[in-house]
PDB file of all heavy atoms in Angstrom:
ATOM      1  N   CYS N   1     -15.138  25.715  -0.704  1.00 93.00           N
ATOM      2  CA  CYS N   1     -14.755  24.409  -0.162  1.00 93.00           C
ATOM      3  C   CYS N   1     -13.429  24.015  -0.797  1.00 93.00           C
ATOM      4  O   CYS N   1     -13.317  24.016  -2.041  1.00 93.00           O
ATOM      5  CB  CYS N   1     -15.823  23.348  -0.421  1.00 93.00           C
ATOM      6  SG  CYS N   1     -15.365  21.704   0.147  1.00 93.00           S
ATOM      7  N   VAL N   2     -12.429  23.664   0.000  1.00 96.00           N
ATOM      8  CA  VAL N   2     -11.103  23.362  -0.527  1.00 96.00           C
ATOM      9  C   VAL N   2     -10.494  22.236   0.262  1.00 96.00           C
ATOM     10  O   VAL N   2     -10.662  22.078   1.450  1.00 96.00           O
ATOM     11  CB  VAL N   2     -10.209  24.641  -0.405  1.00 96.00           C
ATOM     12  CG1 VAL N   2     -10.015  25.052   1.000  1.00 96.00           C
ATOM     13  CG2 VAL N   2      -8.849  24.413  -1.110  1.00 96.00           C
ATOM     14  N   LEU N   3      -9.753  21.355  -0.466  1.00 96.00           N
ATOM     15  CA  LEU N   3      -8.974  20.310   0.150  1.00 96.00           C
ATOM     16  C   LEU N   3      -7.601  20.861   0.540  1.00 96.00           C
ATOM     17  O   LEU N   3      -6.979  21.560  -0.263  1.00 96.00           O
ATOM     18  CB  LEU N   3      -8.790  19.115  -0.806  1.00 96.00           C
ATOM     19  CG  LEU N   3      -7.936  17.976  -0.254  1.00 96.00           C
ATOM     20  CD1 LEU N   3      -8.659  17.210   0.826  1.00 96.00           C
ATOM     21  CD2 LEU N   3      -7.480  17.069  -1.397  1.00 96.00           C
ATOM     22  N   CYS N   4      -7.179  20.606   1.769  1.00 95.00           N
ATOM     23  CA  CYS N   4      -5.905  21.173   2.234  1.00 95.00           C
ATOM     24  C   CYS N   4      -5.038  20.054   2.798  1.00 95.00           C
ATOM     25  O   CYS N   4      -5.498  19.022   3.215  1.00 95.00           O
ATOM     26  CB  CYS N   4      -6.168  22.166   3.362  1.00 95.00           C
ATOM     27  SG  CYS N   4      -7.009  23.662   2.787  1.00 95.00           S
ATOM     28  N   LYS N   5      -3.744  20.390   2.841  1.00 94.00           N
ATOM     29  CA  LYS N   5      -2.801  19.588   3.592  1.00 94.00           C
ATOM     30  C   LYS N   5      -2.653  20.231   4.999  1.00 94.00           C
ATOM     31  O   LYS N   5      -2.493  21.452   5.084  1.00 94.00           O
ATOM     32  CB  LYS N   5      -1.436  19.574   2.893  1.00 94.00           C
ATOM     33  CG  LYS N   5      -0.373  18.726   3.589  1.00 94.00           C
ATOM     34  CD  LYS N   5       0.978  18.920   2.952  1.00 94.00           C
ATOM     35  CE  LYS N   5       1.569  20.257   3.336  1.00 94.00           C
ATOM     36  NZ  LYS N   5       2.910  20.498   2.842  1.00 94.00           N
ATOM     37  N   ALA N   6      -2.818  19.454   6.018  1.00 90.00           N
ATOM     38  CA  ALA N   6      -2.782  19.970   7.389  1.00 90.00           C
ATOM     39  C   ALA N   6      -1.536  19.436   8.116  1.00 90.00           C
ATOM     40  O   ALA N   6      -1.252  18.227   7.980  1.00 90.00           O
ATOM     41  CB  ALA N   6      -4.021  19.536   8.195  1.00 90.00           C
ATOM     42  N   LYS N   7      -0.804  20.312   8.823  1.00 87.00           N
ATOM     43  CA  LYS N   7       0.382  19.905   9.519  1.00 87.00           C
ATOM     44  C   LYS N   7       0.523  20.662  10.818  1.00 87.00           C
ATOM     45  O   LYS N   7       0.511  21.890  10.849  1.00 87.00           O
ATOM     46  CB  LYS N   7       1.665  20.145   8.639  1.00 87.00           C
ATOM     47  CG  LYS N   7       2.891  19.507   9.189  1.00 87.00           C
ATOM     48  CD  LYS N   7       4.051  19.633   8.183  1.00 87.00           C
ATOM     49  CE  LYS N   7       5.276  18.879   8.666  1.00 87.00           C
ATOM     50  NZ  LYS N   7       6.365  18.944   7.666  1.00 87.00           N
ATOM     51  N   ALA N   8       0.519  19.933  11.908  1.00 83.00           N
ATOM     52  CA  ALA N   8       0.704  20.560  13.240  1.00 83.00           C
ATOM     53  C   ALA N   8       2.025  21.256  13.304  1.00 83.00           C
ATOM     54  O   ALA N   8       3.041  20.741  12.817  1.00 83.00           O
ATOM     55  CB  ALA N   8       0.549  19.514  14.336  1.00 83.00           C
ATOM     56  N   THR N   9       2.045  22.406  13.961  1.00 73.00           N
ATOM     57  CA  THR N   9       3.278  23.195  14.072  1.00 73.00           C
ATOM     58  C   THR N   9       4.137  22.701  15.287  1.00 73.00           C
ATOM     59  O   THR N   9       4.382  23.488  16.211  1.00 73.00           O
ATOM     60  CB  THR N   9       2.950  24.686  14.187  1.00 73.00           C
ATOM     61  OG1 THR N   9       2.028  24.851  15.262  1.00 73.00           O
ATOM     62  CG2 THR N   9       2.392  25.214  12.905  1.00 73.00           C
ATOM     63  N   VAL N  10       4.478  21.418  15.243  1.00 66.00           N
ATOM     64  CA  VAL N  10       5.356  20.815  16.276  1.00 66.00           C
ATOM     65  C   VAL N  10       6.416  19.991  15.546  1.00 66.00           C
ATOM     66  O   VAL N  10       6.188  19.608  14.377  1.00 66.00           O
ATOM     67  CB  VAL N  10       4.522  19.932  17.205  1.00 66.00           C
ATOM     68  CG1 VAL N  10       3.548  20.752  17.968  1.00 66.00           C
ATOM     69  CG2 VAL N  10       3.835  18.811  16.467  1.00 66.00           C
ATOM     70  N   PRO N  11       7.522  19.772  16.188  1.00 65.00           N
ATOM     71  CA  PRO N  11       8.573  18.995  15.503  1.00 65.00           C
ATOM     72  C   PRO N  11       8.107  17.629  15.020  1.00 65.00           C
ATOM     73  O   PRO N  11       7.381  16.965  15.762  1.00 65.00           O
ATOM     74  CB  PRO N  11       9.672  18.907  16.567  1.00 65.00           C
ATOM     75  CG  PRO N  11       9.430  20.045  17.472  1.00 65.00           C
ATOM     76  CD  PRO N  11       7.935  20.234  17.504  1.00 65.00           C
ATOM     77  N   ASP N  12       8.573  17.261  13.838  1.00 72.00           N
ATOM     78  CA  ASP N  12       8.344  15.918  13.277  1.00 72.00           C
ATOM     79  C   ASP N  12       6.865  15.571  13.045  1.00 72.00           C
ATOM     80  O   ASP N  12       6.460  14.391  13.018  1.00 72.00           O
ATOM     81  CB  ASP N  12       8.957  14.818  14.193  1.00 72.00           C
ATOM     82  CG  ASP N  12      10.457  15.030  14.397  1.00 72.00           C
ATOM     83  OD1 ASP N  12      11.136  15.400  13.413  1.00 72.00           O
ATOM     84  OD2 ASP N  12      10.934  14.835  15.495  1.00 72.00           O
ATOM     85  N   ALA N  13       6.019  16.600  12.962  1.00 78.00           N
ATOM     86  CA  ALA N  13       4.590  16.371  12.666  1.00 78.00           C
ATOM     87  C   ALA N  13       4.393  15.806  11.287  1.00 78.00           C
ATOM     88  O   ALA N  13       5.065  16.232  10.332  1.00 78.00           O
ATOM     89  CB  ALA N  13       3.786  17.616  12.842  1.00 78.00           C
ATOM     90  N   GLU N  14       3.437  14.898  11.124  1.00 86.00           N
ATOM     91  CA  GLU N  14       3.115  14.360   9.822  1.00 86.00           C
ATOM     92  C   GLU N  14       1.971  15.132   9.200  1.00 86.00           C
ATOM     93  O   GLU N  14       1.081  15.593   9.903  1.00 86.00           O
ATOM     94  CB  GLU N  14       2.739  12.887   9.922  1.00 86.00           C
ATOM     95  CG  GLU N  14       3.879  11.953  10.372  1.00 86.00           C
ATOM     96  CD  GLU N  14       3.500  10.515  10.336  1.00 86.00           C
ATOM     97  OE1 GLU N  14       2.321  10.198  10.067  1.00 86.00           O
ATOM     98  OE2 GLU N  14       4.383   9.631  10.593  1.00 86.00           O
ATOM     99  N   SER N  15       1.956  15.267   7.870  1.00 90.00           N
ATOM    100  CA  SER N  15       0.888  15.954   7.163  1.00 90.00           C
ATOM    101  C   SER N  15      -0.233  15.031   6.899  1.00 90.00           C
ATOM    102  O   SER N  15      -0.063  13.853   6.540  1.00 90.00           O
ATOM    103  CB  SER N  15       1.449  16.549   5.865  1.00 90.00           C
ATOM    104  OG  SER N  15       2.463  17.499   6.117  1.00 90.00           O
ATOM    105  N   THR N  16      -1.457  15.550   6.971  1.00 92.00           N
ATOM    106  CA  THR N  16      -2.659  14.806   6.658  1.00 92.00           C
ATOM    107  C   THR N  16      -3.551  15.699   5.772  1.00 92.00           C
ATOM    108  O   THR N  16      -3.346  16.891   5.636  1.00 92.00           O
ATOM    109  CB  THR N  16      -3.433  14.395   7.934  1.00 92.00           C
ATOM    110  OG1 THR N  16      -3.702  15.578   8.661  1.00 92.00           O
ATOM    111  CG2 THR N  16      -2.595  13.416   8.754  1.00 92.00           C
ATOM    112  N   TYR N  17      -4.639  15.081   5.236  1.00 94.00           N
ATOM    113  CA  TYR N  17      -5.549  15.865   4.424  1.00 94.00           C
ATOM    114  C   TYR N  17      -6.754  16.324   5.257  1.00 94.00           C
ATOM    115  O   TYR N  17      -7.208  15.651   6.170  1.00 94.00           O
ATOM    116  CB  TYR N  17      -6.098  15.006   3.254  1.00 94.00           C
ATOM    117  CG  TYR N  17      -5.034  14.886   2.167  1.00 94.00           C
ATOM    118  CD1 TYR N  17      -4.466  13.622   1.850  1.00 94.00           C
ATOM    119  CD2 TYR N  17      -4.632  15.988   1.413  1.00 94.00           C
ATOM    120  CE1 TYR N  17      -3.499  13.495   0.871  1.00 94.00           C
ATOM    121  CE2 TYR N  17      -3.639  15.838   0.446  1.00 94.00           C
ATOM    122  CZ  TYR N  17      -3.106  14.609   0.170  1.00 94.00           C
ATOM    123  OH  TYR N  17      -2.160  14.504  -0.829  1.00 94.00           O
ATOM    124  N   ALA N  18      -7.298  17.494   4.915  1.00 93.00           N
ATOM    125  CA  ALA N  18      -8.492  18.048   5.558  1.00 93.00           C
ATOM    126  C   ALA N  18      -9.272  18.839   4.532  1.00 93.00           C
ATOM    127  O   ALA N  18      -8.746  19.367   3.581  1.00 93.00           O
ATOM    128  CB  ALA N  18      -8.057  18.980   6.724  1.00 93.00           C
ATOM    129  N   ILE N  19     -10.591  18.826   4.708  1.00 93.00           N
ATOM    130  CA  ILE N  19     -11.486  19.624   3.874  1.00 93.00           C
ATOM    131  C   ILE N  19     -11.942  20.858   4.677  1.00 93.00           C
ATOM    132  O   ILE N  19     -12.439  20.731   5.791  1.00 93.00           O
ATOM    133  CB  ILE N  19     -12.710  18.829   3.410  1.00 93.00           C
ATOM    134  CG1 ILE N  19     -12.282  17.730   2.423  1.00 93.00           C
ATOM    135  CG2 ILE N  19     -13.698  19.757   2.711  1.00 93.00           C
ATOM    136  CD1 ILE N  19     -13.369  16.849   1.971  1.00 93.00           C
ATOM    137  N   ILE N  20     -11.711  22.029   4.136  1.00 92.00           N
ATOM    138  CA  ILE N  20     -12.033  23.256   4.836  1.00 92.00           C
ATOM    139  C   ILE N  20     -13.071  24.043   4.005  1.00 92.00           C
ATOM    140  O   ILE N  20     -12.988  24.140   2.798  1.00 92.00           O
ATOM    141  CB  ILE N  20     -10.796  24.117   5.005  1.00 92.00           C
ATOM    142  CG1 ILE N  20      -9.799  23.479   5.993  1.00 92.00           C
ATOM    143  CG2 ILE N  20     -11.167  25.514   5.572  1.00 92.00           C
ATOM    144  CD1 ILE N  20      -8.551  24.284   6.272  1.00 92.00           C
ATOM    145  N   CYS N  21     -14.058  24.618   4.688  1.00 91.00           N
ATOM    146  CA  CYS N  21     -14.986  25.502   4.068  1.00 91.00           C
ATOM    147  C   CYS N  21     -14.833  26.907   4.673  1.00 91.00           C
ATOM    148  O   CYS N  21     -14.629  27.055   5.875  1.00 91.00           O
ATOM    149  CB  CYS N  21     -16.454  25.027   4.270  1.00 91.00           C
ATOM    150  SG  CYS N  21     -16.816  23.666   3.167  1.00 91.00           S
ATOM    151  N   ILE N  22     -14.859  27.917   3.797  1.00 92.00           N
ATOM    152  CA  ILE N  22     -14.652  29.314   4.156  1.00 92.00           C
ATOM    153  C   ILE N  22     -15.816  30.177   3.727  1.00 92.00           C
ATOM    154  O   ILE N  22     -16.328  29.982   2.623  1.00 92.00           O
ATOM    155  CB  ILE N  22     -13.323  29.831   3.490  1.00 92.00           C
ATOM    156  CG1 ILE N  22     -12.113  29.101   4.116  1.00 92.00           C
ATOM    157  CG2 ILE N  22     -13.203  31.343   3.624  1.00 92.00           C
ATOM    158  CD1 ILE N  22     -10.824  29.382   3.376  1.00 92.00           C
ATOM    159  N   TYR N  23     -16.277  31.055   4.628  1.00 91.00           N
ATOM    160  CA  TYR N  23     -17.276  32.008   4.272  1.00 91.00           C
ATOM    161  C   TYR N  23     -16.630  33.376   3.958  1.00 91.00           C
ATOM    162  O   TYR N  23     -15.906  33.909   4.789  1.00 91.00           O
ATOM    163  CB  TYR N  23     -18.264  32.183   5.419  1.00 91.00           C
ATOM    164  CG  TYR N  23     -19.233  33.321   5.220  1.00 91.00           C
ATOM    165  CD1 TYR N  23     -20.133  33.367   4.145  1.00 91.00           C
ATOM    166  CD2 TYR N  23     -19.272  34.395   6.102  1.00 91.00           C
ATOM    167  CE1 TYR N  23     -20.986  34.381   3.939  1.00 91.00           C
ATOM    168  CE2 TYR N  23     -20.148  35.470   5.933  1.00 91.00           C
ATOM    169  CZ  TYR N  23     -21.015  35.471   4.858  1.00 91.00           C
ATOM    170  OH  TYR N  23     -21.863  36.502   4.633  1.00 91.00           O
ATOM    171  N   GLU N  24     -16.919  33.861   2.724  1.00 91.00           N
ATOM    172  CA  GLU N  24     -16.425  35.186   2.293  1.00 91.00           C
ATOM    173  C   GLU N  24     -17.605  36.112   2.220  1.00 91.00           C
ATOM    174  O   GLU N  24     -18.558  35.862   1.426  1.00 91.00           O
ATOM    175  CB  GLU N  24     -15.731  35.052   0.940  1.00 91.00           C
ATOM    176  CG  GLU N  24     -15.238  36.357   0.347  1.00 91.00           C
ATOM    177  CD  GLU N  24     -14.857  36.279  -1.111  1.00 91.00           C
ATOM    178  OE1 GLU N  24     -15.145  35.199  -1.747  1.00 91.00           O
ATOM    179  OE2 GLU N  24     -14.357  37.255  -1.640  1.00 91.00           O
ATOM    180  N   ASP N  25     -17.621  37.197   3.017  1.00 88.00           N
ATOM    181  CA  ASP N  25     -18.755  38.075   2.981  1.00 88.00           C
ATOM    182  C   ASP N  25     -18.652  39.082   1.861  1.00 88.00           C
ATOM    183  O   ASP N  25     -17.720  39.093   1.050  1.00 88.00           O
ATOM    184  CB  ASP N  25     -18.980  38.782   4.344  1.00 88.00           C
ATOM    185  CG  ASP N  25     -17.883  39.811   4.660  1.00 88.00           C
ATOM    186  OD1 ASP N  25     -17.181  40.278   3.756  1.00 88.00           O
ATOM    187  OD2 ASP N  25     -17.739  40.147   5.853  1.00 88.00           O
ATOM    188  N   LEU N  26     -19.630  39.977   1.754  1.00 84.00           N
ATOM    189  CA  LEU N  26     -19.722  40.905   0.627  1.00 84.00           C
ATOM    190  C   LEU N  26     -18.678  42.000   0.712  1.00 84.00           C
ATOM    191  O   LEU N  26     -18.467  42.737  -0.271  1.00 84.00           O
ATOM    192  CB  LEU N  26     -21.087  41.530   0.578  1.00 84.00           C
ATOM    193  CG  LEU N  26     -22.235  40.545   0.282  1.00 84.00           C
ATOM    194  CD1 LEU N  26     -23.576  41.214   0.471  1.00 84.00           C
ATOM    195  CD2 LEU N  26     -22.110  39.947  -1.054  1.00 84.00           C
ATOM    196  N   ASN N  27     -17.996  42.106   1.798  1.00 83.00           N
ATOM    197  CA  ASN N  27     -16.894  43.071   1.985  1.00 83.00           C
ATOM    198  C   ASN N  27     -15.516  42.415   1.874  1.00 83.00           C
ATOM    199  O   ASN N  27     -14.508  42.980   2.303  1.00 83.00           O
ATOM    200  CB  ASN N  27     -17.027  43.802   3.304  1.00 83.00           C
ATOM    201  CG  ASN N  27     -18.300  44.566   3.402  1.00 83.00           C
ATOM    202  OD1 ASN N  27     -18.582  45.373   2.533  1.00 83.00           O
ATOM    203  ND2 ASN N  27     -19.123  44.355   4.417  1.00 83.00           N
ATOM    204  N   SER N  28     -15.475  41.191   1.341  1.00 84.00           N
ATOM    205  CA  SER N  28     -14.262  40.422   1.111  1.00 84.00           C
ATOM    206  C   SER N  28     -13.609  40.012   2.416  1.00 84.00           C
ATOM    207  O   SER N  28     -12.406  39.663   2.437  1.00 84.00           O
ATOM    208  CB  SER N  28     -13.264  41.186   0.244  1.00 84.00           C
ATOM    209  OG  SER N  28     -13.829  41.429  -1.041  1.00 84.00           O
ATOM    210  N   ASN N  29     -14.296  40.041   3.534  1.00 89.00           N
ATOM    211  CA  ASN N  29     -13.820  39.449   4.745  1.00 89.00           C
ATOM    212  C   ASN N  29     -14.017  37.923   4.665  1.00 89.00           C
ATOM    213  O   ASN N  29     -14.946  37.467   3.965  1.00 89.00           O
ATOM    214  CB  ASN N  29     -14.572  39.996   5.990  1.00 89.00           C
ATOM    215  CG  ASN N  29     -14.381  41.467   6.138  1.00 89.00           C
ATOM    216  OD1 ASN N  29     -13.238  41.996   6.089  1.00 89.00           O
ATOM    217  ND2 ASN N  29     -15.452  42.187   6.340  1.00 89.00           N
ATOM    218  N   ALA N  30     -13.163  37.155   5.345  1.00 90.00           N
ATOM    219  CA  ALA N  30     -13.294  35.738   5.186  1.00 90.00           C
ATOM    220  C   ALA N  30     -13.025  35.037   6.538  1.00 90.00           C
ATOM    221  O   ALA N  30     -12.184  35.495   7.329  1.00 90.00           O
ATOM    222  CB  ALA N  30     -12.291  35.190   4.161  1.00 90.00           C
ATOM    223  N   SER N  31     -13.752  33.938   6.766  1.00 88.00           N
ATOM    224  CA  SER N  31     -13.584  33.182   8.043  1.00 88.00           C
ATOM    225  C   SER N  31     -13.889  31.712   7.727  1.00 88.00           C
ATOM    226  O   SER N  31     -14.656  31.350   6.885  1.00 88.00           O
ATOM    227  CB  SER N  31     -14.491  33.699   9.147  1.00 88.00           C
ATOM    228  OG  SER N  31     -15.867  33.650   8.728  1.00 88.00           O
ATOM    229  N   ILE N  32     -13.247  30.856   8.556  1.00 87.00           N
ATOM    230  CA  ILE N  32     -13.500  29.401   8.426  1.00 87.00           C
ATOM    231  C   ILE N  32     -14.820  29.056   9.093  1.00 87.00           C
ATOM    232  O   ILE N  32     -15.132  29.522  10.167  1.00 87.00           O
ATOM    233  CB  ILE N  32     -12.341  28.635   9.123  1.00 87.00           C
ATOM    234  CG1 ILE N  32     -11.063  28.794   8.336  1.00 87.00           C
ATOM    235  CG2 ILE N  32     -12.714  27.146   9.266  1.00 87.00           C
ATOM    236  CD1 ILE N  32      -9.842  28.125   8.996  1.00 87.00           C
ATOM    237  N   THR N  33     -15.602  28.233   8.322  1.00 85.00           N
ATOM    238  CA  THR N  33     -16.862  27.791   8.907  1.00 85.00           C
ATOM    239  C   THR N  33     -16.829  26.330   9.309  1.00 85.00           C
ATOM    240  O   THR N  33     -17.463  25.938  10.274  1.00 85.00           O
ATOM    241  CB  THR N  33     -18.038  28.010   7.935  1.00 85.00           C
ATOM    242  OG1 THR N  33     -17.696  27.412   6.633  1.00 85.00           O
ATOM    243  CG2 THR N  33     -18.278  29.488   7.705  1.00 85.00           C
ATOM    244  N   THR N  34     -16.151  25.465   8.529  1.00 85.00           N
ATOM    245  CA  THR N  34     -15.992  24.077   8.922  1.00 85.00           C
ATOM    246  C   THR N  34     -14.649  23.545   8.491  1.00 85.00           C
ATOM    247  O   THR N  34     -14.053  23.972   7.509  1.00 85.00           O
ATOM    248  CB  THR N  34     -17.079  23.153   8.248  1.00 85.00           C
ATOM    249  OG1 THR N  34     -16.961  23.244   6.849  1.00 85.00           O
ATOM    250  CG2 THR N  34     -18.503  23.562   8.703  1.00 85.00           C
ATOM    251  N   ILE N  35     -14.158  22.582   9.295  1.00 87.00           N
ATOM    252  CA  ILE N  35     -12.950  21.836   8.956  1.00 87.00           C
ATOM    253  C   ILE N  35     -13.218  20.353   9.237  1.00 87.00           C
ATOM    254  O   ILE N  35     -13.599  20.015  10.325  1.00 87.00           O
ATOM    255  CB  ILE N  35     -11.766  22.314   9.766  1.00 87.00           C
ATOM    256  CG1 ILE N  35     -11.467  23.799   9.550  1.00 87.00           C
ATOM    257  CG2 ILE N  35     -10.492  21.506   9.386  1.00 87.00           C
ATOM    258  CD1 ILE N  35     -10.340  24.338  10.399  1.00 87.00           C
ATOM    259  N   ARG N  36     -12.999  19.544   8.214  1.00 88.00           N
ATOM    260  CA  ARG N  36     -13.122  18.095   8.370  1.00 88.00           C
ATOM    261  C   ARG N  36     -11.681  17.511   8.347  1.00 88.00           C
ATOM    262  O   ARG N  36     -11.070  17.500   7.298  1.00 88.00           O
ATOM    263  CB  ARG N  36     -13.998  17.477   7.264  1.00 88.00           C
ATOM    264  CG  ARG N  36     -15.425  17.871   7.315  1.00 88.00           C
ATOM    265  CD  ARG N  36     -16.225  17.136   6.221  1.00 88.00           C
ATOM    266  NE  ARG N  36     -16.306  15.698   6.475  1.00 88.00           N
ATOM    267  CZ  ARG N  36     -16.756  14.833   5.605  1.00 88.00           C
ATOM    268  NH1 ARG N  36     -17.131  15.258   4.387  1.00 88.00           N
ATOM    269  NH2 ARG N  36     -16.864  13.556   5.924  1.00 88.00           N
ATOM    270  N   GLU N  37     -11.298  17.001   9.462  1.00 87.00           N
ATOM    271  CA  GLU N  37      -9.947  16.445   9.540  1.00 87.00           C
ATOM    272  C   GLU N  37      -9.932  15.008   9.090  1.00 87.00           C
ATOM    273  O   GLU N  37     -10.993  14.371   8.876  1.00 87.00           O
ATOM    274  CB  GLU N  37      -9.437  16.500  11.010  1.00 87.00           C
ATOM    275  CG  GLU N  37      -9.095  17.861  11.473  1.00 87.00           C
ATOM    276  CD  GLU N  37      -7.743  18.352  10.983  1.00 87.00           C
ATOM    277  OE1 GLU N  37      -7.097  17.570  10.215  1.00 87.00           O
ATOM    278  OE2 GLU N  37      -7.288  19.449  11.344  1.00 87.00           O
ATOM    279  N   SER N  38      -8.772  14.416   8.948  1.00 88.00           N
ATOM    280  CA  SER N  38      -8.641  12.995   8.647  1.00 88.00           C
ATOM    281  C   SER N  38      -7.287  12.539   9.180  1.00 88.00           C
ATOM    282  O   SER N  38      -6.438  13.350   9.549  1.00 88.00           O
ATOM    283  CB  SER N  38      -8.732  12.752   7.151  1.00 88.00           C
ATOM    284  OG  SER N  38      -7.490  13.043   6.493  1.00 88.00           O
ATOM    285  N   ASN N  39      -7.083  11.238   9.159  1.00 88.00           N
ATOM    286  CA  ASN N  39      -5.779  10.674   9.467  1.00 88.00           C
ATOM    287  C   ASN N  39      -5.072  10.194   8.195  1.00 88.00           C
ATOM    288  O   ASN N  39      -4.184   9.378   8.292  1.00 88.00           O
ATOM    289  CB  ASN N  39      -5.909   9.511  10.425  1.00 88.00           C
ATOM    290  CG  ASN N  39      -6.463   9.975  11.805  1.00 88.00           C
ATOM    291  OD1 ASN N  39      -5.995  11.023  12.303  1.00 88.00           O
ATOM    292  ND2 ASN N  39      -7.368   9.256  12.406  1.00 88.00           N
ATOM    293  N   ILE N  40      -5.517  10.675   7.057  1.00 92.00           N
ATOM    294  CA  ILE N  40      -4.963  10.279   5.771  1.00 92.00           C
ATOM    295  C   ILE N  40      -3.638  10.952   5.538  1.00 92.00           C
ATOM    296  O   ILE N  40      -3.610  12.185   5.505  1.00 92.00           O
ATOM    297  CB  ILE N  40      -5.972  10.608   4.618  1.00 92.00           C
ATOM    298  CG1 ILE N  40      -7.338  10.050   4.957  1.00 92.00           C
ATOM    299  CG2 ILE N  40      -5.427  10.066   3.283  1.00 92.00           C
ATOM    300  CD1 ILE N  40      -8.454  10.592   3.992  1.00 92.00           C
TER     301      ILE N  40
END
């Protein structure tokens, strides 16, 4: 679980905070399982 800065890849986009959870399997593969966005 990690806190991230999120920024849309469009001109003049503002950055906000998001909490992301990642699943890492036993073979070191990784994928996103949840993302909680905010307007912060």
Side-chain angles (χ1 to χ4, degrees):
C1 177
V2 62
L3 178 73
C4 293
K5 182 188 73 175
K7 190 171 186 178
T9 53
V10 296
D12 302 320
E14 294 185 356
S15 298
T16 56
Y17 285 114
I19 292 177
I20 294 182
C21 284
I22 291 171
Y23 170 61
E24 177 193 9
D25 70 19
L26 296 172
N27 297 307
S28 298
N29 299 312
S31 58
I32 291 176
T33 53
T34 61
I35 302 178
R36 293 182 70 189
E37 288 282 2
S38 79
N39 294 319
I40 307 168

